[in-house]
Amino acid sequence: MSEEEERDFEEQLRELLSEDAYTIRPSPAPYPQIRRQGVVERRRRVAVAGAVLVTLAAVPVGAFAVGGGGTGTADTATTPKASASATPTATPTPSPTPSGPAGPATAGQLRDGITLEQAAGGLDKCLAYDRDRVAHGGIASTDLGKPDEYRIILALNSTGDSNSPGDGMFVVAVKEKPKQTRLICNIKDGEASGLNTSVGSDRQPDSPPVLADINGGKLYQQSFMDKGNWKLPFGWGFIGTVEPAVAKVTVSYGGVSSEAVLDHGWFVASGTLTEQVTRNPHIKGYDQGGKLIYDSDEDKTYQQVQ
């Protein structure tokens, strides 16, 4: 190639390079547009993150404990529903539901300043005493159940005697289901010291309309070892069952007569002796019309003398 041809070739090459420079070198990056898109993207992510945080703050702690064994993230936290402008509504905490035995029909059945709470505490100790006795080889008995299955019908101070020294408190409680159950428990120095129970109704087809409890003497007698030498004054109680036809029951003891309380099929009487007695309480029952339908003096099954 001649020198002139080489110069022509170089000029043509420079022209081609000059004309195709755009196609060989990429266009400069559109920085303004990229920056705008980056700002928008960051704002969108901040907004989403804020919504998630708001939702997490609104979800109760307990929601994250549901469905154990998972990854530890509650489903409700993955779908934000709360908004930052929402105003939380306070939910009042419900008061705890009292759990324990029902009280008696009248306040007078809780004697000697004993409160229902104290009587209920005594019942709880009595039931625990029975469970512990059975667990340690004592005489097995029908499951006496829980305190809230019972109704307390009588509570009064107990007087210690030669057979059971030390004063304390008697609690009498009953329940109807699954079987009629009656317990008489003595509490001394804050501990159950004696328990008498009756499971199943004492009534028979030929039972009288007013039926004294077969073990009620624990409440109105002192020990036979102290016969004729009781500690006085002596607070006593007396219980039994009545048929629906009975509208009134009176009990006389130590020369003092009073009307018993009728409490869901039970009669409950109490008083204070100021003199030694030799006869058991005298009971009378009346119907709605005031007619005498029961007299313990005429009941051959009732023990008249102590």
Side-chain angles (χ1 to χ4, degrees), residues 185-214:
C185 185
N186 194 210
I187 298 97
K188 294 181 180 180
D189 298 323
E191 300 293 335
S193 64
L195 177 64
N196 177 270
T197 62
S198 175
V199 179
S201 176
D202 293 335
R203 286 192 165 276
Q204 303 298 323
D206 59 348
S207 292
V210 180
L211 183 64
D213 189 273
I214 192 172

Side-chain angles (χ1 to χ4, degrees), residues 15-62:
E15 290 177 359
L16 288 174
L17 290 174
S18 175
E19 292 173 357
D20 295 333
Y22 182 83
T23 59
I24 296 174
R25 185 179 62 186
S27 301
Y31 290 109
Q33 182 178 358
I34 293 174
R35 184 176 180 276
R36 285 195 301 271
Q37 290 179 351
V39 171
V40 172
E41 180 66 15
R42 283 196 300 272
R43 290 176 179 174
R44 185 186 66 81
R45 291 180 181 179
V46 170
V48 171
V52 172
L53 290 175
V54 170
T55 303
L56 291 176
V59 174
V61 174

Side-chain angles (χ1 to χ4, degrees), residues 113-139:
I114 299 171
T115 66
L116 179 58
E117 290 74 18
Q118 290 172 328
L123 172 62
D124 187 58
K125 292 176 181 178
C126 295
L127 296 175
Y129 170 82
D130 182 69
R131 292 191 299 269
D132 182 71
R133 180 179 60 179
V134 173
H136 288 82
I139 299 175

Side-chain angles (χ1 to χ4, degrees), residues 76-99:
T76 53
T78 62
T79 307
K81 294 183 180 180
S83 64
S85 60
T87 302
T89 302
T91 303
T93 303
S95 301
T97 303
S99 178

Side-chain angles (χ1 to χ4, degrees), residues 145-275:
K146 301 178 181 179
D148 57 9
E149 298 173 341
Y150 285 83
R151 183 175 66 259
I152 293 174
I153 62 172
L154 180 63
L156 73 162
N157 288 342
S158 64
T159 300
D161 53 37
S162 296
N163 185 54
S164 179
D167 296 341
M169 174 179 70
F170 275 124
V171 174
V172 184
V174 299
K175 70 173 184 176
E176 305 303 323
K177 296 178 181 180
K179 290 184 178 181
Q180 185 183 86
T181 302
R182 185 273 300 135
L183 65 82
I184 300 173
C185 185
N186 194 210
I187 298 97
K188 294 181 180 180
D189 298 323
E191 300 293 335
S193 64
L195 177 64
N196 177 270
T197 62
S198 175
V199 179
S201 176
D202 293 335
R203 286 192 165 276
Q204 303 298 323
D206 59 348
S207 292
V210 180
L211 183 64
D213 189 273
I214 192 172
N215 288 304
K218 295 181 177 297
L219 299 169
Y220 64 80
Q221 293 179 345
Q222 293 183 31
S223 172
F224 285 103
M225 299 170 63
D226 298 322
K227 188 173 183 179
N229 190 32
W230 285 7
K231 294 180 180 179
L232 299 172
F234 170 54
W236 59 272
F238 193 35
I239 62 170
T241 59
V242 295
E243 292 182 345
V246 178
K248 178 181 176 181
V249 172
T250 62
V251 176
S252 299
Y253 196 38
V256 178
S257 181
S258 62
E259 184 174 344
V261 175
L262 300 185
D263 189 342
H264 297 79
W266 292 81
F267 75 84
V268 182
S270 63
T272 302
L273 281 179
T274 57
E275 62 181 36

